[in-house]
Each structure stands twice: as structure tokens, then as C-alpha cells.
Amino acid sequence: MFDGNLTRLELDGTVEHRGGQQFVNGTGFAGDAFERVHRVEPHGFASHPVAGGIAAVFSARGSRDSAYAFGGENPSLRPSIEAGGTAIYDHLGNIVSIVASEMRIVHATGIHIVAPEIVLEGNVRLGSASASRPASAQGTVDTAGAEDVSNLATKVFVE
């Protein structure tokens, strides 16, 4: 079967953003050079591929001037996830993963959540999953002499 309109492209790290579109460069089979290939992404998702990423390139009407790249993941950066899991990650090892019934966020320096209102429902554990000492317990007396009768912090646990 003839597949001259579809090939594999190893990205060289060159990425150009122009007019709301992204264009990449890379090398195909047998060292074929591709320049300014339009990289297609789904609505609501944006990424900037790195060198070594692998994309599938489709040439519309067999013309290399009308090539479109799909994908672009670098296999050496892909995190290991369980079957059925999902991960959003970058080249620095930062990751948001949804595996089984848990969501996990890992970042090297910090996590910043911005919203007009943030709602946390359920128990909050500070330090580790095994934290079990309540940060505040009903019946304790604070430094002002007020007794804690219904403090939200009774659902916050520390190590």
C-alpha cells in the first residue's frame, strides 16, 4: 500500500507561533527535512513541543507544502502511568496525573492556585497521607480564652 502522504517526523525543537497557529521543523525518514509544518492541536489544549518529539505528518494532496503535524511527544520525557490514567506534564518533570481514583500534582518549586473562591471538601492532611493529629479540636481553649466548639480546622490533620 502506498503511504507517501504520511510519514514520521522527529522534531528539532524549532517552534514558531504565528497568527494563532504553530509551525515546527524536523527530520523525516531517510533524513528528509521538513520546515514550517503546521502542527495541529485540539481546542482547549496548547503545548510547545521539545526537540526529540515524534509527530505524524500528513501531506494534503501529496504536497509537502501542505503538511500537517499531529502529536510531538518526546518518548524520553513521557511519565509512567497506569492503564486508563491521564497525565499532563512538561519537560521539567512537573506533572498533573489522574490515575484510578486520585489526582496527583507534582511540581519542583511550588503550586499556585488562583480563583475568586476555592472550596475544599473533606479531610485535609498536611505533611503526609498519614497525618492524623487534628490541627484544632473541639473543646480546646485558644490564647484568647475562647473554647473551640465548631472550628473548620477539626477536619485538618497534621503530622
Side-chain angles (χ1 to χ4, degrees):
M1 179 175 173
F2 182 71
D3 65 353
N5 296 338
L6 182 64
T7 192
R8 175 184 181 273
L9 178 69
E10 182 173 344
L11 303 176
D12 67 8
T14 303
V15 179
E16 175 188 348
H17 293 95
R18 192 181 51 152
Q21 297 180 350
Q22 187 179 83
F23 299 89
V24 295
N25 297 346
T27 306
F29 286 121
D32 295 338
F34 284 81
E35 293 183 0
R36 293 187 25 81
V37 176
H38 182 199
R39 181 168 174 256
V40 180
E41 293 183 298
H43 171 74
F45 180 83
S47 68
H48 189 116
V50 297
I54 306 298
V57 176
F58 176 77
S59 298
R61 299 176 302 281
S63 170
R64 289 175 58 105
D65 293 336
S66 298
Y68 297 92
F70 298 89
E73 178 176 51
N74 184 321
S76 69
L77 300 173
R78 181 180 178 80
S80 177
I81 57 175
E82 297 175 20
T86 300
I88 301 170
Y89 62 95
D90 68 11
H91 66 294
L92 299 174
N94 302 311
I95 184 170
V96 175
S97 61
I98 303 169
V99 180
S101 62
E102 292 189 3
M103 176 183 277
R104 183 170 180 252
I105 301 171
V106 176
H107 193 279
T109 59
I111 297 173
H112 188 146
I113 300 173
V114 178
E117 181 176 335
I118 298 170
V119 177
L120 297 176
E121 292 186 19
N123 294 328
V124 176
R125 301 195 185 277
L126 301 176
S128 75
S130 63
S132 59
R133 186 172 50 89
S136 178
Q138 287 182 323
T140 59
V141 179
D142 66 17
T143 56
E147 185 176 328
D148 186 357
V149 292
S150 64
N151 186 336
L152 172 65
T154 58
K155 296 190 95 172
V156 177
F157 299 93
V158 296
E159 281 193 32

